[in-house]
Amino acid sequence: MYMETLRLSAKQYLIAITVGIACFLPPFIGEATNIALPNMLNGLGYTMGPDYWGLYGWILTVYLLTSTIFLIPAARLADKFSKKWFFCIGVLLLGIGSLGVGMSTSGEMVLMMRAIEGIGNALMFGTAIALLASAVKIELRGTAIGIAMTGVFMGQLAGPLLAGALTDVFGWSMVYLILCPVALLSFFLALPFIPRDQPTDKGPYDWIGAVLFMIGMALSLYGFSKQPNAEAFGILIVGIILLIAFFFYEKRNANPLIPINLILHNRGFTFNNSANLLYYVAIYAMGSLVSLYMTNVWGITDALPRALIVTTQGLILVLFTIVAGRFYDHLLPRWLLASGVLLTIAGIAGAFLMGAASAEPVWLTGAILSASIAAFGIGSLILTAIDRLIKNAPPKYATTTGLLIISIGMIVLLTCGTETAIWSMIAVQALFGVGIAIFVTPNSTAIMNSVTRQEFGMASGTLSTTRMLGMAISIGIVSILKNIFLAGASDNYSASFLQMLDGTIIAALIVLVLAMILSWTAGSVKNA
């Protein structure tokens, strides 16, 4: 009875909502860029060719690169001073960087502003979950993180949809300019509502470790993204050597940047973070690839129809993430099973009534709503069944199931060819949405619950770093495959692109299998 009446307080809801608004910004930036980038490059005067593809890759990479190399050092520095103020500065930098991108008149200016966005993302995301975990009891941490993750997935939902509409009506610049008031809203809410935190790290800051990590990570990611290339391979090797040196230095350090002993001896922390890394390696690049696929293979050149199809995933994530958080806390309502059955039937019936597939916005809107309703119902049935059949089900049941559903979506995507198959792509996005929602919140909560309160800052930074590193590796893999399959492919672009896409999907499926193994064997110990 006690568990059924457990609730977040009004102040805790405000904290979770404030963090959720901030967490809205990075995924919006990522998803919107996937849609707006072709228009941006054309608007800046770039035409299809080496310079076009070079800038295309760097606009995506520089944001991920700066985010990844600054996350852990910034999170640990926040432990010494104030996680709240690092969070606030990060939100402001995200707003400033987005304003700068929207006002850019050259590719070089876009890259500089994207780097500022990346640093802001590192400061904000490196502290966000730690602030939230500190403010909420362990029994409600999954619910609170679920609210914050809803902000993430609302960004994924709004990103392509608004980017498509704004790009077609006002131009690509407006996609970034509208983020400034959102960043300011989160900043001004954070000042009064997020409680002032005390430093949790009293030891000396590990400057040597920070330098080794940042240089090693930067060289490794840069060298990896340029493969196959002999000079870039040398840069990659130097970066890996520096990261190995960083590992052994941290192992002997009394106050390390990353507590190596925790990684070596805390299976839940290490395996869940590793599964998180592999999940992002598998899934992140699919957003830009699907957009390119629909544009260049299916010939859907208007931004809005492409954005609507991709919106299926974001809509499901927004609707379903809080349910996944309540599953982790074993607070699923009793009526969810019956409503899941009704929603599944209603969604499938709606899909049948839609008739022949079309790229028209009105038809796409109805199809997306039908698919989202059915997906919400199916996801509810899956989580309720797990919760009813397995008493106090540990997070591995949800995380592994989520990864399995994502894998099924990959297989469906693998069957798509040159013939336009809109229902298949909507099904892919629906499967991705359900799988991601079931995986992400329990995985993030399990990571935070596997460490002590004093380790929250480090754990939040590590969680965000694995996320950004996975994204960077995902984009790097696509860059390598692009160099292999698309070099000189101007005469038969569609066939070469499909070969690259199929290779990416097969690699993603292998990675997801490894992630499932790690997630299942991670353990489920909770700490206060």
Side-chain angles (χ1 to χ4, degrees):
M1 181 64 68
Y2 171 73
M3 292 299 291
E4 291 180 354
T5 59
L6 202 57
R7 297 285 187 273
L8 293 172
S9 68
K11 184 177 181 180
Q12 289 171 333
Y13 268 115
L14 283 170
I15 294 170
I17 291 169
T18 300
V19 172
I21 293 172
C23 290
F24 168 92
L25 295 168
F28 181 96
I29 291 169
E31 296 294 331
T33 299
N34 289 336
I35 299 295
L37 190 49
N39 302 75
M40 178 195 296
L41 293 172
N42 291 333
L44 294 174
Y46 289 85
T47 56
M48 196 70 69
D51 290 341
Y52 178 99
W53 285 111
L55 185 58
Y56 182 96
W58 269 110
I59 287 174
L60 294 175
T61 301
V62 69
Y63 172 79
L64 298 173
L65 184 64
T66 50
S67 294
T68 304
I69 65 177
F70 280 99
L71 257 167
I72 287 289
R76 293 293 285 151
L77 203 58
D79 286 341
K80 293 192 63 63
F81 295 100
S82 169
K83 288 185 277 291
K84 174 179 177 176
W85 287 112
F86 271 64
F87 174 87
C88 292
I89 293 169
V91 171
L92 283 181
L93 288 177
L94 278 166
I96 292 169
S98 299
L99 176 65
V101 173
M103 298 179 66
S104 293
T105 56
S106 68
E108 292 77 13
M109 186 174 178
V110 171
L111 292 178
M112 183 174 66
M113 292 298 109
R114 289 280 287 172
I116 291 174
E117 282 183 327
I119 295 171
N121 177 60
L123 269 62
M124 186 279 291
F125 248 126
T127 53
I129 301 301
L131 285 172
L132 193 54
S134 299
V136 178
K137 292 180 179 180
I138 188 171
E139 292 84 2
L140 288 168
R141 203 166 286 157
T143 303
I145 291 177
I147 294 172
M149 289 297 104
T150 299
V152 173
F153 298 138
M154 284 190 71
Q156 286 186 232
L157 169 64
L161 190 60
L162 284 180
L166 292 172
T167 298
D168 287 345
V169 178
F170 298 104
W172 66 267
S173 295
M174 187 58 66
V175 174
Y176 297 90
L177 295 178
I178 63 167
L179 291 176
C180 299
V182 180
L184 288 176
L185 174 62
S186 179
F187 176 78
F188 285 117
L189 285 174
L191 292 178
F193 293 126
I194 292 182
R196 183 176 180 181
D197 59 302
Q198 296 299 319
T200 56
D201 183 6
K202 305 296 185 180
Y205 187 73
D206 182 14
W207 291 106
I208 295 176
V211 171
L212 285 172
F213 176 83
M214 293 171 72
I215 296 177
M217 188 65 72
L219 293 177
S220 298
L221 292 176
Y222 175 81
F224 179 74
S225 69
K226 293 297 181 180
Q227 297 303 313
N229 178 279
E231 182 179 344
F233 184 74
I235 294 173
L236 173 61
I237 294 300
V238 173
I240 292 173
I241 291 172
L242 288 175
L243 290 177
I244 292 171
F246 167 77
F247 176 85
F248 285 105
Y249 176 79
E250 294 295 280
K251 197 173 180 182
R252 298 192 305 269
N253 196 342
N255 191 42
L257 193 74
I258 298 176
I260 299 299
N261 287 331
L262 175 66
I263 294 174
L264 293 177
H265 300 110
N266 187 330
R267 189 179 69 179
F269 178 80
T270 303
F271 281 24
N272 279 312
N273 265 299
S274 299
N276 189 56
L277 170 69
L278 293 176
Y279 151 75
Y280 279 105
V281 169
I283 197 72
Y284 182 71
M286 289 300 158
S288 60
L289 286 177
V290 164
S291 182
L292 288 171
Y293 177 46
M294 290 189 289
T295 303
N296 296 290
V297 178
W298 286 357
I300 303 177
T301 55
D302 290 340
L304 185 57
R306 289 185 280 118
L308 282 169
I309 293 171
V310 175
T311 296
T312 309
Q313 180 185 142
L315 181 59
I316 295 167
L317 289 169
V318 170
L319 294 171
F320 200 63
T321 298
I322 294 178
V323 175
R326 293 183 70 81
F327 165 83
Y328 184 89
D329 294 330
H330 306 295
L331 295 174
L332 291 180
R334 296 183 179 277
W335 49 260
L336 190 61
L337 180 62
S339 65
V341 173
L342 293 175
L343 290 172
T344 301
I345 295 172
I348 294 174
F352 275 110
L353 293 174
M354 289 303 301
S358 167
E360 291 299 317
V362 174
W363 186 92
L364 285 173
T365 300
I368 289 163
L369 289 174
S370 297
S372 299
I373 291 169
F376 186 95
I378 292 170
S380 298
L381 291 175
I382 291 171
L383 287 186
T384 304
I386 294 173
D387 200 46
R388 296 279 181 90
L389 295 174
I390 304 166
K391 186 177 181 181
N392 296 324
K396 68 179 184 180
Y397 287 92
T399 54
T400 308
T401 301
L403 293 170
L404 178 61
I405 294 171
I406 295 170
S407 299
I408 296 171
M410 292 285 183
I411 294 170
V412 175
L413 182 57
L414 196 60
T415 65
C416 294
T418 55
E419 297 295 325
T420 304
I422 292 176
W423 268 122
S424 294
M425 188 59 73
I426 290 175
V428 168
Q429 298 300 320
L431 288 165
F432 282 175
V434 174
I436 292 168
I438 292 177
F439 170 78
V440 169
T441 297
N443 176 263
S444 300
T445 310
I447 289 171
M448 298 307 298
N449 284 349
S450 68
V451 300
T452 63
R453 183 174 294 272
Q454 289 72 27
E455 296 167 329
F456 277 171
M458 176 280 306
S460 179
T462 303
L463 173 61
S464 298
T465 298
T466 57
R467 179 177 62 87
M468 299 308 304
L469 180 59
M471 292 178 179
I473 293 173
S474 186
I475 293 296
I477 291 172
V478 172
S479 297
I480 293 170
L481 293 173
K482 175 177 67 68
N483 293 337
I484 294 172
F485 288 103
L486 297 184
S490 57
D491 294 335
N492 194 8
Y493 179 84
S494 294
S496 299
F497 181 85
L498 282 175
Q499 285 183 321
M500 184 193 74
L501 181 61
D502 289 347
T504 306
I505 294 169
I506 292 169
L509 285 168
I510 294 170
V511 169
L512 286 168
V513 170
L514 295 175
M516 281 187 265
I517 293 170
L518 287 169
S519 191
W520 184 260
T521 55
S524 58
V525 177
K526 286 192 175 186
N527 292 314

